[in-house]
């Protein structure tokens, strides 16, 4: 059993916070709490285990009024809270473990409550995972390096090459600039290998564009003088 599973052991019901964002296990997410029902939710969970469910839900594109039974989200744990005099709060959360909504529970609370089951990735062969993990880490690092050049950032990049494959897949999925529906598909996969494969393909399609933008940015900073000849075809 994983550490995340231990943390939700015995927890079968979760307050639900539907949002148009996707939370991944092990990834931090800051949130601003201002609606009265979610202020109450925050107060209630802080008196207990500080856990709630965050499910991706875009009300503007849905005919439903709430996430569907059977849909998958991620447990969030509140790790820090800053409360303002008017009752609003800024909170920092971190994703723990994925869940599937089994049913809605009526407890008289102003917010939604769901009964859930928990999900984790299937066990897979380690060598194959390491190879795909290496490919994803290398391509993601190339893109991150290009983005830092484009944004004129000087800080060194963290080394993610040794990150455990499942954790790497969640971190990269969270960091990528893709539609939330794509992120939700990645969240729902229960195969680390398949998630890494999809990430590899997405990154491979994007890396050349980022590196070209970085090259042009560097040329522009040098007034077009790169010290190398530019071949025009």
């Amino acid at each position: 059993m994983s550490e995340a599973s231990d943390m939700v052991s015995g927890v079968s019901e979760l307050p639900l916070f539907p949002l148009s964002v996707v939370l991944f296990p092990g990834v931090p997410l800051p949130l601003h709490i201002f609606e009265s029902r979610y202020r109450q939710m925050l107060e209630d969970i802080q008196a207990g285990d500080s856990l709630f469910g965050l499910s991706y839900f875009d009300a503007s594109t849905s005919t439903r009024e709430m996430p569907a039974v059977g849909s998958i989200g991620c447990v969030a744990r509140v790790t820090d809270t800053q409360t303002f005099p008017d009752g609003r709060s800024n909170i920092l959360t971190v994703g723990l473990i994925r869940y599937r909504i089994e049913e809605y529970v009526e407890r008289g609370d102003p917010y939604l409550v769901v009964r859930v089951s928990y999900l984790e990735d299937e066990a897979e062969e380690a060598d194959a995972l390491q190879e795909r993990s290496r490919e994803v880490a290398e391509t993601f690092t190339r893109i991150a390096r290009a983005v830092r050049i484009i944004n004129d950032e000087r800080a060194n990049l963290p080394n993610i090459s040794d990150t455990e494959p499942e954790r790497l897949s969640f971190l990269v999925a969270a960091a990528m600039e893709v539609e939330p529906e794509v992120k939700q598909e990645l969240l729902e996969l229960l195969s680390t290998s398949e998630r890494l494969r999809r990430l590899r393909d997405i990154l491979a399609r994007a890396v050349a564009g980022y590196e070209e933008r970085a090259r042009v940015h560097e040329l522009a900073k040098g007034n077009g003088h790169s010290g190398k000849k530019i071949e025009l075809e």
Side-chain angles (χ1 to χ4, degrees):
M1 181 178 290
S2 69
E3 181 180 353
S5 295
D6 287 340
M7 296 184 72
V8 297
S9 178
V11 179
S12 60
E13 296 181 4
L14 290 169
L16 187 67
F17 196 176
L19 281 178
S20 56
V21 298
V22 178
L23 176 64
F24 290 90
V27 176
L29 178 68
L31 294 171
H32 180 63
I33 306 298
F34 59 92
E35 289 188 53
S36 59
R37 55 179 166 169
Y38 295 122
R39 294 184 193 180
Q40 183 63 54
M41 183 192 80
L42 180 60
E43 181 179 332
D44 291 346
I45 65 173
Q46 287 187 307
D49 53 23
S50 294
L51 303 179
F52 66 93
L54 195 153
S55 287
Y56 171 68
F57 181 69
D58 186 353
S60 67
T61 61
S62 177
T63 57
R64 304 186 305 270
E65 296 183 355
M66 60 186 71
V69 169
S71 61
I72 293 172
C74 184
V75 177
R77 180 170 66 90
V78 178
T79 61
D80 195 19
T81 305
Q82 178 187 24
T83 302
F84 301 101
D86 63 3
R88 295 177 298 114
S89 296
N90 287 333
I91 66 174
L92 181 63
T93 71
V94 63
L96 284 186
I97 189 172
R98 289 162 293 173
Y99 60 81
R100 177 180 285 111
I101 296 176
E102 299 296 343
E103 62 179 339
Y104 281 85
V105 179
E106 181 53 57
R107 302 191 316 196
D109 300 297
Y111 45 82
L112 298 170
V113 178
V114 289
R115 183 168 290 113
V116 300
S117 57
Y118 297 106
L119 307 169
E120 294 192 275
D121 277 4
E122 304 157 353
E124 297 182 80
E125 201 273 319
D127 290 343
L129 286 179
Q130 288 298 336
E131 176 60 23
R132 287 196 172 176
S133 182
R134 181 190 60 79
E135 294 173 341
V136 168
E138 288 180 357
T139 310
F140 181 75
T141 298
R142 287 172 59 189
I143 291 177
R145 187 178 297 116
V147 168
R148 292 197 172 215
I149 292 172
I150 294 166
N151 294 333
D152 293 320
E153 297 177 3
R154 297 178 179 272
N156 293 327
L157 287 170
N159 183 1
I160 62 171
S161 61
D162 293 332
T163 305
E164 185 272 328
E166 181 180 328
R167 175 168 169 75
L168 176 74
S169 74
F170 289 138
L171 292 175
V172 172
M176 289 195 315
E177 293 183 356
V178 294
E179 294 298 318
E181 291 81 7
V182 175
K183 294 194 175 191
Q184 180 65 22
E185 291 176 3
L186 293 168
L187 180 75
E188 293 176 2
L189 291 172
L190 298 182
S191 166
T192 304
S193 179
E194 176 62 15
R195 190 180 306 107
L196 288 169
R197 185 192 68 78
R198 295 197 192 184
L199 289 170
R200 180 199 62 193
D201 293 348
I202 293 170
L203 294 170
R205 291 193 296 268
V207 64
Y210 278 103
E211 290 183 336
E212 176 62 13
R213 286 169 57 194
R215 186 186 71 82
V216 170
H217 181 77
E218 289 286 81
L219 285 173
K221 286 174 62 179
N223 295 318
H225 301 294
S226 64
K228 297 181 181 179
K229 294 181 180 180
I230 302 174
E231 296 182 0
L232 301 178
E233 297 182 356

